Amino acid sequence: GQEYAKKAMSVAVYNHYKRVATGTMDEIEIEKSNMLMIGPTGSGKTYLVKTLARLLDVPLAITDATSLTEAGYIGDDIESVVSKLLAAADNDVEKAEQGIIFIDEIDKITSKSQQNAGEVSREGVQRDILPIVEGSQIKTKYGIIKTDHILFIASGAFAQSKPSDLIAELQGRFPIRVELEDLSKDDFVKILTEPNNALIKQYIAIIGTDNIKVTFTIEAIEKIAEIAYRVNHETDNIGARRLHTILEKLLEDLLFEGPDMQMGEITITEAYVEE
């Protein structure tokens, strides 16, 4: 799924690395293609960024905006995230300077977010992020890292706030907006079955270590997807993570009793899923 997001990200990243390679084009400086991903929990934001970094073979550092503090406070400030990127690049400064920093849950530090007295100023954290996203120099024990060519991607669900609740200067540093949609029932079926590490394949492999061959009927898989989709919309929407919760519950008895039962083969049917 998320075809629009994949397309928008592909274009932005392609243009970003053209900028890195050329520096200027006919004396015109190309602006950074930093991205702001907006979409519900469990819609694949982090997964898309991880996949992007793997395909490009560039180092990736992931941080949660809610864990960031202003410079001088106890905790992680944004400069420590650059050090995290350097570690992901095996302390190769040049490689780190072409990496990706992903700031998740950026919506949790908007001015509209709930904030308790005594907490670090959320606007202060936003202002600390500004120069590093724009381009600055960070001292590390392995040398100075320039952040000019590091691609910054921020993301948030923005359920209680809007992207416009970020300070204007920070909004301007993330010119590319990538909107993600809720996953559909068909998306859930694909997530369960198609990737190399699809959940169904994982459970078949795990249970297979006890010499039990497990098969899921197509109808059973569709029923799992249908239940996940329904429950998500009736309760807190946790997106694709719901599938893992449902499969763990569904296979609980088999995982617990299977090793002692020597069943050989078992088929998971739609009726069993419903029950």
Side-chain angles (χ1 to χ4, degrees), residues 117-132:
E119 277 190 11
V120 173
S121 160
R122 288 176 182 174
E123 184 172 324
V125 175
Q126 290 186 55
R127 292 200 179 280
D128 277 356
I129 292 171
L130 281 176
I132 291 178

Side-chain angles (χ1 to χ4, degrees), residues 71-88:
Y73 282 77
I74 293 172
D76 289 336
D77 58 28
I78 189 68
E79 288 195 10
S80 69
V81 182
V82 177
S83 298
K84 199 173 174 183
L85 181 67
L86 182 60

Side-chain angles (χ1 to χ4, degrees), residues 14-33:
Y14 186 53
N15 287 341
H16 172 77
Y17 284 105
K18 276 197 281 190
R19 172 186 178 273
V20 169
T22 59
T24 59
M25 296 176 74
D26 296 329
E27 302 308 315
I28 297 171
E29 188 172 347
I30 312 298
E31 284 192 1
K32 290 181 75 173
S33 300

Side-chain angles (χ1 to χ4, degrees), residues 155-203:
S155 83
F158 291 97
Q160 308 300 325
S161 57
K162 303 184 291 295
S164 59
D165 292 326
L166 292 167
I167 59 172
E169 299 95 322
L170 191 59
Q171 288 182 59
R173 301 303 192 277
F174 291 92
I176 313 295
R177 297 286 172 95
V178 180
E179 297 197 10
L180 290 88
E181 303 169 348
D182 271 325
L183 296 170
S184 67
K185 192 188 106 174
D186 288 343
D187 289 331
F188 282 170
V189 171
K190 290 176 182 177
I191 290 165
L192 284 169
T193 58
E194 290 186 8
N196 291 334
N197 65 336
L199 281 170
I200 294 286
K201 294 176 186 175
Q202 289 184 41
Y203 278 100

Side-chain angles (χ1 to χ4, degrees), residues 134-148:
E134 181 68 16
S136 60
Q137 297 187 359
I138 308 297
K139 286 182 181 178
T140 73
K141 65 179 180 180
Y142 295 98
I144 292 174
I145 296 181
K146 296 176 183 176
T147 66
D148 305 57

Side-chain angles (χ1 to χ4, degrees), residues 188 223 225-235:
F188 282 170
K223 180 57 69 175
E226 180 189 308
I227 292 167
Y229 185 79
R230 189 186 73 235
V231 173
N232 265 351
H233 286 78
E234 288 173 354
T235 61

